[in-house]
Amino acid sequence: MSGEQVRKRHIERHCAAAIRALAAHPAAEFRRDLLFDGNRGVALMSPHLALDVGRDSLVRCRGVADAMALRLIHTDLELHGSLMPPNAAAAMVFDILEQLRVESLAPQGLRGLRRNLDDAFNEWCRKSRASGFAENEFGLVVYSITQIVRSRLTGAAQDEEVEGLIESTRFRLGPLIGDALKVLPRLRHDQHAYAQHALTIAQVAGDIADALGGVERQTARTAQRMLLPRQHSVDERYTDAAGAWAGTGPGQPGESGGRYRVFCRDHDREVGAREVVPLASRRRVLRAELDRLVKAQAVSVPRLAQRLKTLFSAPEYAGWNFGEEDGYLDGRRLSQIVANPAYSRIFRQRQRVPRAETVVSFLIDNSGSMKRLRYEAVAVLVDIYSRALDLAGVPNEILGFTTGGWTGGQSIEAWRRAGSPESPGRLNDRLHVVYKDAATPWRRAREGIAALLSTNHFREGLDGEALEWAAGRLIAREANRHCLVMISDGAPMDSATGHHNPPGFLDGHLRDVIQRLEGGGEVELRGIGVNLDLGDFYAHSLVLDLAGTLGNAEFRALESLYRGHRLQ
């Protein structure tokens, strides 16, 4: 994940938090510039809600987030969808009018929120005028209706530039929509009654679009000129649940009940450290480098091992301790009281020893962005943890996941040879790496772990499939507890798959997998975010800043996670 992507994700997280807080809607989510209610996408066709988080100002991002929150508060989404006209142009205008209604209901006391809405709307007005929308007659109709209705609902004055631009269009629209415009302000608290008159205005806009050359051509041109939101309800794939979309076409169903698809598995591989770094001499050099980095850390491995043994072990009774001053009375020692009434060591206590019935797996993101985010620190962290867990008698393994190629590898070539069918599913080669398996002790796996310092295989990431793979390996081992720790720097990313599938395809699959694992109870799943919060995905996670020397917080990460505390 690049620096720009990290910044964009931070802004999206803040937008999502603002939406959830304002709407009191815990299931609300905002990602990839799209609004979700739980796993279901909310179709937004209002042009002034179009947002490009990577390019738009923070002021506009916050204003749009507030506008989306008002939609969740005041709109019955099922009712709105049932009333939506079939004509695409009319549907767009109908959605605009509903959005303007909910924005007009912003509480008077929340002056900051109302200012955010105004700033975001005015910035959209400036951008849309600069985009050349006036060359498109239908675009000018949409813009004029938006300005006229917003002014009536909120009482906002229009500047001279807007007045001059829409004057002629307002004059032509007046006889057609004037009666409906008059009643909209007094009906804005009643969605159903308001919608009946909004439909009249929307139908007029649809008729104009048809007269100008057809719905599809006009809405397509307007989408380009008016900066329409990506989540366009004309394309139903984009309003389905993120990742729960069930596509059609060639490919095999994935592990998530057929909702996640894989176009080609022929080039998927699972390899060991010897294949990642084939030269033994090179592995020895990497191990020496890792030992140097580990030695620079101020950490006592035996002390860490003792803490982890307490954390991951359960007490087991192993006989008795005799001659204690309290506990259970030991009848065999009562005669000693007769000989010496002051003698008190006549009790016995059960001897309890910790027994580890746990297996721990570290799953490490080997995407290209990890090269810039202290992959050396991650290698040091898991190497020390693995050694300490071994001393504590807790089996553990270290796994990695990446892709076989950039932008698709051999899988996308197979897709092209098949005629490039639409919505193909996963289009890259999956590469899973076993740096250390649970059956191999740390001392014998030292050189394999050091392969984490070789980044030649760091490419892109298919997080959902990697979690399924790691969880399957864990569950196959007999233990009372199966603990899986994902170490990553963000959301899944594969450019080929993302480009040729609906938005949220990989994110949705990851959320599906996490939901199944966390709900299943067989695996205790935790997330460690490298300089980025993974709380949007995982119920239990913490953030580690690995930009400097590792400190106490990093070496107490597992204790914090598996004692139920979440660090920020």
Side-chain angles (χ1 to χ4, degrees):
M1 185 176 288
S2 66
E4 181 180 349
Q5 290 173 317
V6 170
R7 176 182 177 276
K8 180 175 179 179
R9 187 61 192 131
H10 275 300
I11 296 173
E12 288 181 337
R13 284 179 42 241
H14 286 300
C15 287
I19 294 169
R20 288 192 290 267
L22 181 60
H25 199 86
E29 182 55 77
F30 182 74
R31 57 184 184 273
R32 305 280 176 93
D33 303 334
L34 307 175
L35 175 64
F36 292 87
D37 180 8
N39 279 334
R40 181 172 179 78
V42 179
L44 299 174
M45 302 175 65
S46 303
H48 69 282
L49 296 188
L51 192 62
D52 185 344
V53 171
R55 297 180 181 179
D56 285 339
S57 69
L58 293 177
V59 171
R60 174 155 170 76
C61 291
R62 180 55 195 266
V64 171
D66 289 347
M68 290 178 175
L70 291 171
R71 174 71 77 101
L72 293 178
I73 294 172
H74 297 294
T75 297
D76 181 332
L77 298 177
E78 291 187 5
L79 174 61
H80 183 64
S82 67
L83 296 174
M84 187 74 72
N87 181 294
M92 180 195 301
V93 174
F94 181 69
D95 193 79
I96 292 170
L97 299 182
E98 174 59 17
Q99 183 61 38
L100 295 175
R101 180 186 77 85
V102 302
E103 291 180 24
S104 73
L105 298 176
Q108 292 291 337
L110 299 181
R111 289 179 294 178
L113 181 146
R114 297 177 70 86
R115 183 170 60 251
N116 292 340
L117 296 175
D118 289 341
D119 290 345
F121 183 81
N122 291 334
E123 187 172 328
W124 170 78
C125 290
R126 291 191 294 271
K127 288 180 64 176
S128 58
R129 289 198 297 268
S131 70
F133 72 93
E135 300 172 4
N136 179 358
E137 188 171 353
F138 179 69
L140 184 56
V141 169
V142 174
Y143 184 82
S144 300
I145 291 175
T146 302
Q147 294 286 351
I148 294 168
V149 174
R150 187 174 191 272
S151 179
R152 281 186 171 270
L153 293 179
T154 65
Q158 296 163 347
D159 61 36
E160 293 183 3
E161 184 176 357
V162 172
E163 286 283 358
L165 190 61
I166 69 173
E167 182 178 2
S168 61
T169 307
R170 189 209 313 260
F171 179 77
R172 288 187 288 114
L173 289 173
L176 302 175
I177 65 174
D179 293 340
L181 280 174
K182 291 178 183 178
V183 298
L184 286 184
R186 69 170 183 265
L187 296 177
R188 60 196 181 97
H189 293 281
D190 185 338
Q191 179 183 345
H192 189 271
Y194 176 95
Q196 305 309 310
H197 298 278
L199 283 169
T200 300
I201 299 174
Q203 189 57 55
V204 169
D207 292 342
I208 292 174
D210 289 340
L212 290 173
V215 175
E216 291 78 7
R217 185 162 64 91
Q218 289 301 321
T219 53
R221 292 168 65 185
T222 303
Q224 180 182 5
R225 294 291 189 184
M226 299 295 291
L227 315 174
L228 193 65
R230 285 170 48 205
Q231 193 158 329
H232 197 312
S233 64
V234 170
D235 189 344
E236 295 179 356
R237 294 176 305 168
Y238 287 70
T239 62
D240 196 3
W245 162 81
T248 57
Q252 303 172 14
E255 292 85 344
S256 295
R259 294 180 293 185
Y260 178 75
R261 300 178 64 83
V262 177
F263 185 80
C264 176
R265 297 183 184 273
D266 295 345
H267 310 289
D268 294 351
R269 292 192 300 151
E270 178 182 318
V271 301
R274 292 178 181 273
E275 295 175 76
V276 171
V277 183
L279 293 178
S281 58
R282 174 62 176 160
R283 291 198 301 273
R284 286 193 293 271
V285 169
L286 293 175
R287 184 64 237 184
E289 174 65 14
L290 185 54
D291 287 340
R292 184 187 65 79
L293 294 172
V294 168
K295 189 177 295 185
Q297 311 305 317
V299 58
S300 170
V301 175
R303 187 176 299 173
L304 176 61
Q306 189 60 43
R307 296 205 310 265
L308 295 178
K309 186 173 184 178
T310 302
L311 180 66
F312 290 115
S313 300
E316 183 179 79
Y317 295 112
W320 295 88
N321 289 326
F322 298 96
E324 301 291 340
E325 292 187 349
D326 56 29
Y328 295 93
L329 186 64
D330 186 358
R332 295 174 300 177
R333 293 176 179 260
L334 291 178
S335 60
Q336 297 184 29
I337 297 180
V338 177
N340 182 9
Y343 186 75
S344 61
R345 293 185 176 276
I346 59 174
F347 298 92
R348 61 176 179 166
Q349 293 179 357
R350 284 183 172 177
Q351 183 181 12
R352 296 187 299 177
V353 296
R355 180 179 177 83
E357 291 290 346
T358 303
V359 59
V360 177
S361 178
F362 297 98
L363 179 61
I364 304 172
D365 181 359
N366 289 167
S367 61
S369 57
M370 290 288 284
K371 296 179 183 180
R372 296 182 294 275
L373 290 174
R374 301 293 294 181
Y375 67 93
E376 301 101 330
V378 173
V380 169
L381 190 69
V382 297
D383 184 69
I384 292 176
Y385 267 131
S386 178
R387 183 180 176 187
L389 287 168
D390 259 20
L391 289 176
V394 180
N396 61 92
E397 63 183 5
I398 301 173
L399 309 173
F401 66 95
T402 181
T403 56
W406 289 101
T407 63
Q410 298 181 69
S411 294
I412 198 169
E413 296 300 325
W415 172 71
R416 288 170 179 151
R417 289 193 296 270
S420 303
E422 293 187 1
S423 304
R426 192 247 289 172
L427 278 179
N428 209 332
D429 313 331
R430 186 178 68 186
L431 180 60
H432 291 160
V433 183
V434 180
Y435 296 103
K436 175 190 178 299
D437 62 54
T440 304
W442 172 84
R443 188 170 298 277
R444 286 174 48 201
R446 293 174 67 253
E447 289 188 0
I449 298 172
L452 280 166
L453 294 182
S454 173
T455 60
N456 293 332
H457 59 293
F458 283 35
R459 298 184 185 92
E460 299 182 275
L462 304 167
D463 299 45
E465 290 193 59
L467 273 181
E468 288 177 322
W469 168 64
R473 289 176 60 94
L474 266 182
I475 295 171
R477 295 190 62 85
E478 292 187 8
N480 290 338
R481 296 179 67 187
H482 300 91
C483 300
L484 176 56
V485 183
M486 165 70 92
I487 302 177
S488 176
D489 68 337
M493 179 63 186
D494 175 54
S495 53
T497 302
H499 184 71
H500 297 289
N501 289 281
F505 179 74
L506 290 175
D507 278 9
H509 180 234
L510 175 59
R511 291 177 191 278
D512 283 349
V513 174
I514 292 173
Q515 184 177 8
R516 286 190 288 109
L517 292 178
E518 292 180 340
E522 290 185 279
V523 174
E524 299 177 39
L525 179 61
R526 304 290 188 266
I528 294 179
V530 180
N531 296 0
L532 189 70
D533 187 8
L534 299 181
D536 289 347
F537 290 96
Y538 299 87
H540 305 282
S541 67
L542 58 80
V543 183
L544 294 184
D545 183 0
L546 301 181
T549 303
L550 300 183
N552 290 333
E554 287 73 31
F555 290 110
R556 291 187 180 272
L558 285 187
E559 298 162 80
S560 301
L561 283 170
Y562 283 99
R563 283 181 182 148
H565 301 296
R566 182 173 169 193
L567 300 181
Q568 293 293 343

